[in-house]
Structures are given as structure tokens and as C-alpha cells.
Amino acid sequence: MAARPTRPVPLTADADLVAAFEVLGQKWTGIILHTLATRPARYGELSTAIARISTKMLADRLRELVESGLVTHAQLPPGPATYTLTADGRALLPALEQIRCWSRHRTRPRHSPGKAAPVSAPALPEATYARTVLGSGPGLALAHGAGSSIAGTYGSILEDLAAHHAVVGVDYPGSGDTPRSTTPLSLDDLADQLVAGAVAEGLETFAVSGYSLGGPVAIRAAARHPERVTALVLTATFPYRDNRLALALPVWRKLAESGDRTLLAEYLTMMALGADALEAMPDEQLQQAVGFTAAGVADGTPEQAELAPRADVRDDLPGIQAPTLVISTTQDRFTSTRQHRRLADSLPHAQLVELPTGHLPMVERPDEWRRLITDFLARHAV
């Protein structure tokens, strides 16, 4: 008589492990617990000890660990709040130590043929560009527009940004106190110098605000140094040169190269101001605006205007994991709302907001622009 086939043992996920890994399965949770095993620590100490974690991620994980009863959060005057393992948290340490030993001694898998090895972040160069440094708090790096500077782009809101953040702004070659370049500019170099400048000023992680050409600079910085960039704010910017920029930028560059600053300023005033602001100006104020623009033209405008049509970050966008705010300047003659929407649609974690200005929100609606930036950064704890 033939034997009956044996039924396989039913598979059931262990309920206790499911409950445990609902907490421990989150990225960085075990690392935070193991780091706190040494002693209680302040938020800033943990951020320094776990260098690759973003400020928002650390804040989220600490909140979850407090809610799950594995960590306590106490204010011990004088000084900031301190995080300490509870008895339940310390009970996990032997298991974490076993995992650490397993990781140290396990056989690492070889890369399969045809698969690329993981790409590490590029080494940072020496920070050589001139910098503006203000304020304290979470880090915020600033990338300015072509033909301008940190003061020219962010001057009207700089003090307000510094009231809540440690702000580091980097001037491109030919802007501010950074010497003009004798060779064509590189988007990678500008992005690396932005990050290097922030790190040189003591910021391990930081948000980046990029305006106009500073948008591609900020995006490339986040793509090349994702462990550093916690959030992006992109204003009046573009992912690549469209036909409008293909026509406008060469004219801008040729006017800059001519040395006729008044003619250049007239062109920029016409193109950069929104229709509402431009038509609201009486003749005297319009001439004052032209004179102000002429005085603020950066010496490096030709090189920066030459880089702008070469800046193409479309391949970077799908990999950007930082939360992003795209501010669409709806009366913009340089960068179109089509470009702004295309940028927001291509970024995995982006939201789009509209600001009814031309290309110069810092002139037309500085308070609204500043609020959009600071409110977004506050919501994302950076």
C-alpha cells in the first residue's frame, strides 16, 4: 500500500518577531540604540556620532523610540534634552551585539557580472569659494543665480533665514569675493564647492536652497552628496535648457561680454521683473531699477551665463530622495512654469507652490518667498 504524501508544515510568521521588527526594522533604529549603549547623549552628539543620518531621519527615529518605550527623553538642566536607553532598550543590546558580530564575520557577496558596484560619494575638494556665514541652528546652504551673488540673490531675506538656521552661502567664480575663472565653469565643481563650503563651516548635514542657476547646482549637490543634503528648496529654476532659455541666455551672455552694463541691465530688467511689478513702476523708479541692476552685475556673468544652457540635471532627478519644495514664479520670462512643473513631476518627493512674481521674488515679494522657504524647512525639521 502506497504511503500517503506528507503535508508540508504550514508557514506562519512569528507574531513576536513581527511586533519586534515593526520597531527594529526601521533604518538607523538599531544603530541609534547601540550608540546610546555607551551613555546618554544629546541630539547633537547623536547627529555627530551617526554621520550619515539626516537631521529629519534622526528626529523621526528618536521620536519613534521614545513612543515605543525603548528610549527616554529628558531635559536635564543646564543644557539641552538628553536621550537615554530604558530597561527595555538595554535588553536589546545583547541581540544587537550578536548582529554586529555576524556582520563583521559574514562572507560578503561578490558583485554579479554586469552589475555596477555601489558608487561612493565623491571626495570633497578644498573649499576655496568665498562664503557668507550667518546664524545658528539647522544647516542651510544657499546657491545663487547666474550673474548675481549670495548678497544679490538672498540679501533681502538673509537675516530672516539666519534667525532660524546656520546659513552658509557660496559665491561662484566671478561673484562676491570669489576670483573670476579663466576656464569654463563646471556644474559638478559648483555643487562640490557648495557642499565643501558648508562642511568647512561645521555643517555635517544641511538643506539647500537653489535659485535659478542655483537650482541645478543644488540638485547636483544632492545627487553627488546625498548623505549631506536633507532637503531642497528650488525657486525659479529649471532641469535643463528649453527653447526659451536657448534664446535668452546667449543674448544675456553677449551683452555681458560687451561691457555695456546699462544695456545689459535694461535687458535684465525687462526679462526678470514680472508684468505686474514692471508696469507698476513710474519712469523714475524704472530708471532707478536699471541703475541698481547695472551696479549689481557680477564680473563672472559671462562664464555663469555660458554654464546655464549646459546645465542638465534630468538624469539626477529620479534618484533624489530629499523632500523638495519647487517654487514656481508664475510671471517668469526666463524659466517657464512648464519647466517648474516638469521639475516637480520628476522629483520623487516634491511639492509645487506658486508665487505670482517674475524671475525676481526677492525684489517683488521677498516676505512671501522667505515664508515659503522657512515654513517648508520647519515642516521637515531641517
Side-chain angles (χ1 to χ4, degrees):
M1 185 175 181
R4 292 182 179 178
T6 304
R7 291 184 178 180
V9 176
L11 296 177
T12 305
D14 186 270
D16 290 332
L17 282 177
V18 169
F21 276 94
E22 284 179 352
V23 178
L24 298 179
Q26 297 290 338
K27 187 177 182 181
W28 299 111
T29 294
I31 303 301
I32 294 170
L33 292 172
H34 195 269
T35 304
L36 285 173
T38 304
R39 61 171 175 82
R42 299 188 299 274
Y43 177 90
E45 293 178 304
L46 288 169
S47 181
T48 300
I50 311 172
R52 292 173 54 198
I53 193 171
S54 71
T55 54
K56 182 179 185 300
M57 180 73 76
L58 178 57
D60 288 346
R61 292 296 173 264
L62 285 170
R63 183 183 65 253
E64 292 164 1
L65 287 170
V66 170
E67 291 173 352
S68 64
L70 301 179
V71 170
T72 60
H73 180 221
Q75 184 79 32
L76 300 176
T82 300
Y83 293 89
T84 306
L85 289 180
T86 64
D88 280 348
R90 298 197 70 84
L92 283 166
L93 295 180
L96 292 176
E97 185 63 23
Q98 285 187 333
I99 293 173
R100 189 179 71 85
C101 292
W102 167 81
S103 179
R104 176 184 294 176
H105 298 296
R106 77 186 182 99
T107 301
R108 304 286 177 177
R110 297 178 181 270
H111 291 293
S112 301
K115 290 187 178 180
V119 178
S120 59
L124 288 176
E126 178 186 358
T128 58
Y129 291 3
R131 300 188 291 277
T132 298
V133 183
L134 289 172
S136 61
L140 175 60
L142 305 179
H144 65 76
S148 185
S149 63
I150 290 299
T153 295
Y154 292 98
S156 62
I157 64 171
L158 199 53
E159 292 291 341
D160 287 331
L161 293 178
H164 303 284
H165 294 86
V167 175
V168 177
V170 172
D171 285 314
Y172 310 149
S175 293
D177 292 329
T178 304
R180 190 170 176 178
S181 177
T182 58
T183 59
L185 300 180
S186 157
L187 192 63
D188 285 356
D189 288 346
L190 297 191
D192 286 353
Q193 280 290 334
L194 176 68
V195 174
V199 172
E201 297 298 337
L203 304 183
E204 292 297 322
T205 59
F206 41 86
V208 181
S209 174
Y211 163 81
S212 194
L213 176 61
V217 172
I219 291 165
R220 184 58 53 83
R224 288 171 65 82
H225 306 278
E227 77 287 358
R228 300 283 189 186
V229 177
T230 58
L232 291 173
V233 179
L234 308 172
T235 303
T237 190
F238 57 96
Y240 67 98
R241 181 204 68 188
D242 62 1
N243 286 340
R244 177 182 297 193
L245 285 174
L247 295 171
L249 291 172
V251 176
W252 182 12
R253 179 186 175 188
K254 290 173 183 176
L255 288 173
E257 290 173 337
S258 75
D260 189 337
R261 289 199 169 207
T262 299
L263 184 60
L264 172 61
E266 289 172 346
Y267 171 75
L268 291 177
T269 302
M270 175 191 68
M271 289 290 292
L273 281 174
D276 293 343
L278 186 62
E279 296 307 320
M281 287 184 176
D283 289 346
E284 183 179 355
Q285 188 179 1
L286 181 60
Q287 293 309 310
Q288 289 175 346
V290 170
F292 179 81
T293 301
V297 172
D299 291 342
T301 296
E303 295 82 51
Q304 295 172 26
E306 188 277 333
L307 171 62
R310 292 191 286 110
D312 189 334
V313 293
R314 282 175 289 184
D315 289 344
D316 295 333
L317 300 179
I320 301 296
Q321 296 303 309
T324 302
L325 178 68
V326 177
I327 301 176
S328 175
T329 40
T330 57
Q331 298 180 19
D332 203 323
R333 292 188 181 93
F334 272 117
T335 62
S336 68
T337 55
R338 182 189 299 269
Q339 285 278 56
H340 307 156
R341 289 193 297 271
R342 183 178 289 119
L343 186 60
D345 290 343
S346 300
L347 285 159
H349 307 290
Q351 69 177 94
L352 178 77
V353 296
E354 293 185 343
L355 192 59
T357 73
H359 198 63
L360 301 176
M362 71 290 294
V363 173
E364 298 177 49
R365 293 177 181 259
D367 290 338
E368 291 179 44
W369 186 38
R370 185 262 307 162
R371 279 196 297 272
L372 287 174
I373 296 172
T374 55
D375 288 354
F376 175 78
L377 295 180
R379 287 198 303 274
H380 291 276
V382 294

PDB file of all heavy atoms in Angstrom, residues 12-42:
ATOM      1  N   THR A  12       3.919  30.126   9.200  1.00  0.00           N
ATOM      2  CA  THR A  12       3.271  31.219   9.923  1.00  0.00           C
ATOM      3  C   THR A  12       4.341  32.179  10.408  1.00  0.00           C
ATOM      4  O   THR A  12       5.333  31.752  11.023  1.00  0.00           O
ATOM      5  CB  THR A  12       2.477  30.703  11.139  1.00  0.00           C
ATOM      6  OG1 THR A  12       1.539  29.714  10.701  1.00  0.00           O
ATOM      7  CG2 THR A  12       1.747  31.847  11.829  1.00  0.00           C
ATOM      8  N   ALA A  13       4.180  33.453  10.096  1.00  0.00           N
ATOM      9  CA  ALA A  13       5.114  34.454  10.610  1.00  0.00           C
ATOM     10  C   ALA A  13       4.951  34.559  12.115  1.00  0.00           C
ATOM     11  O   ALA A  13       3.825  34.613  12.640  1.00  0.00           O
ATOM     12  CB  ALA A  13       4.850  35.811   9.958  1.00  0.00           C
ATOM     13  N   ASP A  14       6.061  34.572  12.838  1.00  0.00           N
ATOM     14  CA  ASP A  14       6.035  34.646  14.292  1.00  0.00           C
ATOM     15  C   ASP A  14       5.532  36.029  14.726  1.00  0.00           C
ATOM     16  O   ASP A  14       6.103  37.062  14.352  1.00  0.00           O
ATOM     17  CB  ASP A  14       7.430  34.409  14.859  1.00  0.00           C
ATOM     18  CG  ASP A  14       7.416  34.342  16.373  1.00  0.00           C
ATOM     19  OD1 ASP A  14       7.569  35.430  17.003  1.00  0.00           O
ATOM     20  OD2 ASP A  14       7.267  33.253  16.928  1.00  0.00           O
ATOM     21  N   ALA A  15       4.484  36.043  15.505  1.00  0.00           N
ATOM     22  CA  ALA A  15       3.863  37.305  15.893  1.00  0.00           C
ATOM     23  C   ALA A  15       4.796  38.178  16.721  1.00  0.00           C
ATOM     24  O   ALA A  15       4.790  39.412  16.600  1.00  0.00           O
ATOM     25  CB  ALA A  15       2.574  37.030  16.671  1.00  0.00           C
ATOM     26  N   ASP A  16       5.614  37.551  17.585  1.00  0.00           N
ATOM     27  CA  ASP A  16       6.525  38.342  18.422  1.00  0.00           C
ATOM     28  C   ASP A  16       7.589  39.024  17.572  1.00  0.00           C
ATOM     29  O   ASP A  16       7.947  40.186  17.811  1.00  0.00           O
ATOM     30  CB  ASP A  16       7.188  37.453  19.475  1.00  0.00           C
ATOM     31  CG  ASP A  16       6.200  36.980  20.537  1.00  0.00           C
ATOM     32  OD1 ASP A  16       5.209  37.719  20.769  1.00  0.00           O
ATOM     33  OD2 ASP A  16       6.413  35.900  21.112  1.00  0.00           O
ATOM     34  N   LEU A  17       8.116  38.288  16.571  1.00  0.00           N
ATOM     35  CA  LEU A  17       9.109  38.904  15.688  1.00  0.00           C
ATOM     36  C   LEU A  17       8.495  40.014  14.840  1.00  0.00           C
ATOM     37  O   LEU A  17       9.128  41.039  14.591  1.00  0.00           O
ATOM     38  CB  LEU A  17       9.756  37.849  14.788  1.00  0.00           C
ATOM     39  CG  LEU A  17      10.836  36.980  15.424  1.00  0.00           C
ATOM     40  CD1 LEU A  17      11.313  35.937  14.433  1.00  0.00           C
ATOM     41  CD2 LEU A  17      12.013  37.833  15.884  1.00  0.00           C
ATOM     42  N   VAL A  18       7.269  39.796  14.387  1.00  0.00           N
ATOM     43  CA  VAL A  18       6.585  40.843  13.628  1.00  0.00           C
ATOM     44  C   VAL A  18       6.484  42.105  14.464  1.00  0.00           C
ATOM     45  O   VAL A  18       6.778  43.225  14.007  1.00  0.00           O
ATOM     46  CB  VAL A  18       5.188  40.377  13.180  1.00  0.00           C
ATOM     47  CG1 VAL A  18       4.379  41.556  12.624  1.00  0.00           C
ATOM     48  CG2 VAL A  18       5.294  39.278  12.128  1.00  0.00           C
ATOM     49  N   ALA A  19       6.080  41.952  15.720  1.00  0.00           N
ATOM     50  CA  ALA A  19       5.949  43.106  16.609  1.00  0.00           C
ATOM     51  C   ALA A  19       7.305  43.772  16.851  1.00  0.00           C
ATOM     52  O   ALA A  19       7.411  45.006  16.877  1.00  0.00           O
ATOM     53  CB  ALA A  19       5.325  42.678  17.936  1.00  0.00           C
ATOM     54  N   ALA A  20       8.342  42.941  17.027  1.00  0.00           N
ATOM     55  CA  ALA A  20       9.670  43.496  17.284  1.00  0.00           C
ATOM     56  C   ALA A  20      10.195  44.285  16.097  1.00  0.00           C
ATOM     57  O   ALA A  20      10.724  45.392  16.249  1.00  0.00           O
ATOM     58  CB  ALA A  20      10.645  42.370  17.645  1.00  0.00           C
ATOM     59  N   PHE A  21      10.030  43.714  14.889  1.00  0.00           N
ATOM     60  CA  PHE A  21      10.618  44.374  13.723  1.00  0.00           C
ATOM     61  C   PHE A  21       9.774  45.535  13.206  1.00  0.00           C
ATOM     62  O   PHE A  21      10.232  46.293  12.359  1.00  0.00           O
ATOM     63  CB  PHE A  21      10.891  43.350  12.620  1.00  0.00           C
ATOM     64  CG  PHE A  21      12.207  42.654  12.814  1.00  0.00           C
ATOM     65  CD1 PHE A  21      12.276  41.445  13.471  1.00  0.00           C
ATOM     66  CD2 PHE A  21      13.385  43.238  12.371  1.00  0.00           C
ATOM     67  CE1 PHE A  21      13.492  40.809  13.673  1.00  0.00           C
ATOM     68  CE2 PHE A  21      14.599  42.627  12.565  1.00  0.00           C
ATOM     69  CZ  PHE A  21      14.660  41.399  13.215  1.00  0.00           C
ATOM     70  N   GLU A  22       8.553  45.676  13.733  1.00  0.00           N
ATOM     71  CA  GLU A  22       7.828  46.911  13.443  1.00  0.00           C
ATOM     72  C   GLU A  22       8.576  48.112  14.007  1.00  0.00           C
ATOM     73  O   GLU A  22       8.476  49.226  13.496  1.00  0.00           O
ATOM     74  CB  GLU A  22       6.410  46.847  14.019  1.00  0.00           C
ATOM     75  CG  GLU A  22       5.471  45.971  13.202  1.00  0.00           C
ATOM     76  CD  GLU A  22       4.084  45.904  13.808  1.00  0.00           C
ATOM     77  OE1 GLU A  22       3.906  46.415  14.944  1.00  0.00           O
ATOM     78  OE2 GLU A  22       3.189  45.328  13.174  1.00  0.00           O
ATOM     79  N   VAL A  23       9.347  47.875  15.070  1.00  0.00           N
ATOM     80  CA  VAL A  23      10.197  48.926  15.655  1.00  0.00           C
ATOM     81  C   VAL A  23      11.613  48.825  15.125  1.00  0.00           C
ATOM     82  O   VAL A  23      12.174  49.784  14.590  1.00  0.00           O
ATOM     83  CB  VAL A  23      10.199  48.818  17.196  1.00  0.00           C
ATOM     84  CG1 VAL A  23      11.130  49.875  17.791  1.00  0.00           C
ATOM     85  CG2 VAL A  23       8.801  48.973  17.738  1.00  0.00           C
ATOM     86  N   LEU A  24      12.210  47.649  15.224  1.00  0.00           N
ATOM     87  CA  LEU A  24      13.629  47.487  14.900  1.00  0.00           C
ATOM     88  C   LEU A  24      13.907  47.457  13.410  1.00  0.00           C
ATOM     89  O   LEU A  24      15.049  47.631  12.985  1.00  0.00           O
ATOM     90  CB  LEU A  24      14.162  46.201  15.539  1.00  0.00           C
ATOM     91  CG  LEU A  24      14.104  46.148  17.070  1.00  0.00           C
ATOM     92  CD1 LEU A  24      14.646  44.820  17.562  1.00  0.00           C
ATOM     93  CD2 LEU A  24      14.870  47.301  17.680  1.00  0.00           C
ATOM     94  N   GLY A  25      12.879  47.218  12.590  1.00  0.00           N
ATOM     95  CA  GLY A  25      13.103  47.126  11.149  1.00  0.00           C
ATOM     96  C   GLY A  25      13.303  48.466  10.469  1.00  0.00           C
ATOM     97  O   GLY A  25      13.662  48.522   9.292  1.00  0.00           O
ATOM     98  N   GLN A  26      13.090  49.564  11.198  1.00  0.00           N
ATOM     99  CA  GLN A  26      13.282  50.881  10.600  1.00  0.00           C
ATOM    100  C   GLN A  26      14.779  51.184  10.459  1.00  0.00           C
ATOM    101  O   GLN A  26      15.580  50.851  11.336  1.00  0.00           O
ATOM    102  CB  GLN A  26      12.635  51.963  11.480  1.00  0.00           C
ATOM    103  CG  GLN A  26      11.132  51.836  11.624  1.00  0.00           C
ATOM    104  CD  GLN A  26      10.409  52.163  10.330  1.00  0.00           C
ATOM    105  OE1 GLN A  26      10.946  52.842   9.468  1.00  0.00           O
ATOM    106  NE2 GLN A  26       9.196  51.663  10.194  1.00  0.00           N
ATOM    107  N   LYS A  27      15.141  51.831   9.336  1.00  0.00           N
ATOM    108  CA  LYS A  27      16.541  52.182   9.109  1.00  0.00           C
ATOM    109  C   LYS A  27      17.071  53.062  10.238  1.00  0.00           C
ATOM    110  O   LYS A  27      16.380  53.984  10.673  1.00  0.00           O
ATOM    111  CB  LYS A  27      16.690  52.892   7.761  1.00  0.00           C
ATOM    112  CG  LYS A  27      18.142  53.144   7.367  1.00  0.00           C
ATOM    113  CD  LYS A  27      18.226  53.772   5.996  1.00  0.00           C
ATOM    114  CE  LYS A  27      19.687  53.982   5.597  1.00  0.00           C
ATOM    115  NZ  LYS A  27      19.805  54.613   4.253  1.00  0.00           N
ATOM    116  N   TRP A  28      18.263  52.767  10.713  1.00  0.00           N
ATOM    117  CA  TRP A  28      19.017  53.505  11.728  1.00  0.00           C
ATOM    118  C   TRP A  28      18.572  53.211  13.162  1.00  0.00           C
ATOM    119  O   TRP A  28      19.277  53.603  14.113  1.00  0.00           O
ATOM    120  CB  TRP A  28      18.974  55.026  11.503  1.00  0.00           C
ATOM    121  CG  TRP A  28      19.554  55.470  10.203  1.00  0.00           C
ATOM    122  CD1 TRP A  28      18.890  55.993   9.138  1.00  0.00           C
ATOM    123  CD2 TRP A  28      20.931  55.425   9.812  1.00  0.00           C
ATOM    124  NE1 TRP A  28      19.749  56.285   8.113  1.00  0.00           N
ATOM    125  CE2 TRP A  28      21.026  55.943   8.508  1.00  0.00           C
ATOM    126  CE3 TRP A  28      22.112  54.994  10.451  1.00  0.00           C
ATOM    127  CZ2 TRP A  28      22.219  56.052   7.821  1.00  0.00           C
ATOM    128  CZ3 TRP A  28      23.301  55.092   9.763  1.00  0.00           C
ATOM    129  CH2 TRP A  28      23.353  55.614   8.466  1.00  0.00           C
ATOM    130  N   THR A  29      17.440  52.520  13.362  1.00  0.00           N
ATOM    131  CA  THR A  29      16.958  52.308  14.729  1.00  0.00           C
ATOM    132  C   THR A  29      17.979  51.538  15.569  1.00  0.00           C
ATOM    133  O   THR A  29      18.330  51.943  16.688  1.00  0.00           O
ATOM    134  CB  THR A  29      15.615  51.554  14.706  1.00  0.00           C
ATOM    135  OG1 THR A  29      14.638  52.390  14.103  1.00  0.00           O
ATOM    136  CG2 THR A  29      15.175  51.182  16.112  1.00  0.00           C
ATOM    137  N   GLY A  30      18.467  50.408  15.041  1.00  0.00           N
ATOM    138  CA  GLY A  30      19.451  49.623  15.792  1.00  0.00           C
ATOM    139  C   GLY A  30      20.732  50.391  16.038  1.00  0.00           C
ATOM    140  O   GLY A  30      21.356  50.262  17.108  1.00  0.00           O
ATOM    141  N   ILE A  31      21.158  51.210  15.078  1.00  0.00           N
ATOM    142  CA  ILE A  31      22.389  51.992  15.237  1.00  0.00           C
ATOM    143  C   ILE A  31      22.225  53.010  16.362  1.00  0.00           C
ATOM    144  O   ILE A  31      23.135  53.215  17.176  1.00  0.00           O
ATOM    145  CB  ILE A  31      22.741  52.709  13.913  1.00  0.00           C
ATOM    146  CG1 ILE A  31      22.869  51.701  12.772  1.00  0.00           C
ATOM    147  CG2 ILE A  31      24.006  53.532  14.061  1.00  0.00           C
ATOM    148  CD1 ILE A  31      23.910  50.650  12.999  1.00  0.00           C
ATOM    149  N   ILE A  32      21.069  53.658  16.428  1.00  0.00           N
ATOM    150  CA  ILE A  32      20.829  54.636  17.498  1.00  0.00           C
ATOM    151  C   ILE A  32      20.853  53.947  18.859  1.00  0.00           C
ATOM    152  O   ILE A  32      21.484  54.435  19.814  1.00  0.00           O
ATOM    153  CB  ILE A  32      19.481  55.351  17.263  1.00  0.00           C
ATOM    154  CG1 ILE A  32      19.550  56.199  15.989  1.00  0.00           C
ATOM    155  CG2 ILE A  32      19.112  56.221  18.464  1.00  0.00           C
ATOM    156  CD1 ILE A  32      18.205  56.744  15.541  1.00  0.00           C
ATOM    157  N   LEU A  33      20.187  52.804  18.969  1.00  0.00           N
ATOM    158  CA  LEU A  33      20.169  52.078  20.242  1.00  0.00           C
ATOM    159  C   LEU A  33      21.575  51.663  20.654  1.00  0.00           C
ATOM    160  O   LEU A  33      21.980  51.820  21.823  1.00  0.00           O
ATOM    161  CB  LEU A  33      19.266  50.851  20.131  1.00  0.00           C
ATOM    162  CG  LEU A  33      17.764  51.121  19.974  1.00  0.00           C
ATOM    163  CD1 LEU A  33      17.028  49.826  19.668  1.00  0.00           C
ATOM    164  CD2 LEU A  33      17.206  51.774  21.230  1.00  0.00           C
ATOM    165  N   HIS A  34      22.350  51.120  19.702  1.00  0.00           N
ATOM    166  CA  HIS A  34      23.701  50.674  20.024  1.00  0.00           C
ATOM    167  C   HIS A  34      24.593  51.854  20.414  1.00  0.00           C
ATOM    168  O   HIS A  34      25.453  51.735  21.309  1.00  0.00           O
ATOM    169  CB  HIS A  34      24.302  49.927  18.832  1.00  0.00           C
ATOM    170  CG  HIS A  34      25.526  49.135  19.169  1.00  0.00           C
ATOM    171  ND1 HIS A  34      26.800  49.641  19.071  1.00  0.00           N
ATOM    172  CD2 HIS A  34      25.669  47.858  19.637  1.00  0.00           C
ATOM    173  CE1 HIS A  34      27.667  48.730  19.439  1.00  0.00           C
ATOM    174  NE2 HIS A  34      27.019  47.634  19.786  1.00  0.00           N
ATOM    175  N   THR A  35      24.401  53.014  19.774  1.00  0.00           N
ATOM    176  CA  THR A  35      25.194  54.193  20.107  1.00  0.00           C
ATOM    177  C   THR A  35      24.867  54.697  21.514  1.00  0.00           C
ATOM    178  O   THR A  35      25.760  55.097  22.274  1.00  0.00           O
ATOM    179  CB  THR A  35      24.947  55.307  19.071  1.00  0.00           C
ATOM    180  OG1 THR A  35      25.223  54.802  17.768  1.00  0.00           O
ATOM    181  CG2 THR A  35      25.823  56.519  19.334  1.00  0.00           C
ATOM    182  N   LEU A  36      23.587  54.646  21.881  1.00  0.00           N
ATOM    183  CA  LEU A  36      23.179  55.087  23.222  1.00  0.00           C
ATOM    184  C   LEU A  36      23.597  54.112  24.314  1.00  0.00           C
ATOM    185  O   LEU A  36      23.495  54.432  25.505  1.00  0.00           O
ATOM    186  CB  LEU A  36      21.663  55.285  23.271  1.00  0.00           C
ATOM    187  CG  LEU A  36      21.123  56.549  22.568  1.00  0.00           C
ATOM    188  CD1 LEU A  36      19.601  56.531  22.556  1.00  0.00           C
ATOM    189  CD2 LEU A  36      21.630  57.799  23.280  1.00  0.00           C
ATOM    190  N   ALA A  37      24.062  52.912  23.922  1.00  0.00           N
ATOM    191  CA  ALA A  37      24.521  51.950  24.929  1.00  0.00           C
ATOM    192  C   ALA A  37      25.743  52.477  25.677  1.00  0.00           C
ATOM    193  O   ALA A  37      25.990  52.106  26.832  1.00  0.00           O
ATOM    194  CB  ALA A  37      24.849  50.612  24.276  1.00  0.00           C
ATOM    195  N   THR A  38      26.525  53.338  25.033  1.00  0.00           N
ATOM    196  CA  THR A  38      27.735  53.871  25.675  1.00  0.00           C
ATOM    197  C   THR A  38      27.371  54.790  26.832  1.00  0.00           C
ATOM    198  O   THR A  38      27.902  54.682  27.938  1.00  0.00           O
ATOM    199  CB  THR A  38      28.581  54.637  24.651  1.00  0.00           C
ATOM    200  OG1 THR A  38      28.870  53.763  23.560  1.00  0.00           O
ATOM    201  CG2 THR A  38      29.879  55.139  25.271  1.00  0.00           C
ATOM    202  N   ARG A  39      26.442  55.714  26.587  1.00  0.00           N
ATOM    203  CA  ARG A  39      25.997  56.654  27.621  1.00  0.00           C
ATOM    204  C   ARG A  39      24.820  57.454  27.076  1.00  0.00           C
ATOM    205  O   ARG A  39      24.599  57.486  25.866  1.00  0.00           O
ATOM    206  CB  ARG A  39      27.118  57.612  28.025  1.00  0.00           C
ATOM    207  CG  ARG A  39      27.631  58.496  26.898  1.00  0.00           C
ATOM    208  CD  ARG A  39      28.580  59.556  27.424  1.00  0.00           C
ATOM    209  NE  ARG A  39      29.183  60.339  26.363  1.00  0.00           N
ATOM    210  CZ  ARG A  39      28.601  61.372  25.753  1.00  0.00           C
ATOM    211  NH1 ARG A  39      27.369  61.727  26.113  1.00  0.00           N
ATOM    212  NH2 ARG A  39      29.234  62.041  24.800  1.00  0.00           N
ATOM    213  N   PRO A  40      24.058  58.146  27.958  1.00  0.00           N
ATOM    214  CA  PRO A  40      23.042  59.071  27.464  1.00  0.00           C
ATOM    215  C   PRO A  40      23.682  60.155  26.603  1.00  0.00           C
ATOM    216  O   PRO A  40      24.841  60.528  26.803  1.00  0.00           O
ATOM    217  CB  PRO A  40      22.442  59.660  28.749  1.00  0.00           C
ATOM    218  CG  PRO A  40      22.707  58.621  29.801  1.00  0.00           C
ATOM    219  CD  PRO A  40      24.037  58.020  29.433  1.00  0.00           C
ATOM    220  N   ALA A  41      22.923  60.655  25.630  1.00  0.00           N
ATOM    221  CA  ALA A  41      23.510  61.618  24.689  1.00  0.00           C
ATOM    222  C   ALA A  41      22.469  62.637  24.251  1.00  0.00           C
ATOM    223  O   ALA A  41      21.264  62.359  24.241  1.00  0.00           O
ATOM    224  CB  ALA A  41      24.072  60.891  23.464  1.00  0.00           C
ATOM    225  N   ARG A  42      22.961  63.825  23.899  1.00  0.00           N
ATOM    226  CA  ARG A  42      22.109  64.869  23.354  1.00  0.00           C
ATOM    227  C   ARG A  42      21.919  64.635  21.860  1.00  0.00           C
ATOM    228  O   ARG A  42      22.678  63.901  21.225  1.00  0.00           O
ATOM    229  CB  ARG A  42      22.731  66.251  23.604  1.00  0.00           C
ATOM    230  CG  ARG A  42      22.917  66.580  25.074  1.00  0.00           C
ATOM    231  CD  ARG A  42      23.361  68.027  25.262  1.00  0.00           C
ATOM    232  NE  ARG A  42      24.638  68.289  24.619  1.00  0.00           N
ATOM    233  CZ  ARG A  42      25.815  68.078  25.156  1.00  0.00           C
ATOM    234  NH1 ARG A  42      25.888  67.570  26.383  1.00  0.00           N
ATOM    235  NH2 ARG A  42      26.934  68.363  24.510  1.00  0.00           N
TER     236      ARG A  42
END
